[in-house]
Amino acid sequence: MSEPTSQKPVRRRVRLFPERTLSPEELARRKAEREVFHKRCRAIFERVRSELIDKYYDWYIAVEPDSGDYFIDEDKEAASLKARQKYPNTVHCMFCLNEVGATGRI
């Protein structure tokens, strides 16, 4: 009789769609685009934050950088909805009207 082996077969993890792998150059390009977009949004946020922070502290602000428009609401989803209603085909950036602009909790 043969001895049973106690070793489990090695399971190899592979990509489901290896043809969809992005090159390092493409990943770097996308990251650079995101950083430029965020800087444009952050500049608008910094410009209006001092005016709005006293009245709307801890509210959310959705910034659309191409037009310079922003939308504020107590609810994050409502602020996002306002931005999407006026600019349905653009991306906006969300900030919180506080000292740092961060949303969410740690």
Side-chain angles (χ1 to χ4, degrees):
M1 263 178 100
S2 64
E3 302 259 337
T5 60
S6 63
Q7 292 180 339
K8 294 182 180 179
V10 176
R11 295 181 82 184
R12 295 198 173 114
R13 297 182 70 170
V14 297
R15 293 187 60 87
L16 292 176
F17 301 103
E19 67 277 1
R20 292 180 131 189
T21 302
L22 297 175
S23 68
E25 294 82 17
E26 178 66 15
L27 291 173
R29 184 188 65 78
R30 290 183 181 193
K31 182 178 180 182
E33 285 177 359
R34 281 192 309 267
E35 288 174 356
V36 168
F37 173 77
H38 183 72
K39 284 181 182 177
R40 289 174 49 214
C41 293
R42 187 73 180 190
I44 295 168
F45 171 70
E46 293 295 337
R47 187 180 73 230
V48 299
R49 178 174 62 175
S50 60
E51 302 166 12
L52 302 173
I53 197 167
D54 292 332
K55 188 173 180 182
Y56 302 106
Y57 189 80
D58 271 347
W59 283 35
Y60 294 95
I61 179 170
V63 177
E64 200 286 314
D66 294 331
S67 65
D69 286 348
Y70 57 90
F71 307 89
I72 59 174
D73 200 282
E74 267 185 299
D75 182 41
K76 187 188 319 188
E77 295 301 320
S80 180
L81 181 63
K82 288 177 184 179
R84 281 184 278 141
Q85 284 175 343
K86 186 161 183 184
Y87 300 102
N89 298 322
T90 61
V91 179
H92 59 273
C93 193
M94 187 71 66
F95 297 98
C96 187
L97 283 167
N98 56 28
E99 290 79 13
V100 293
T103 61
R105 296 177 187 230
I106 296 178

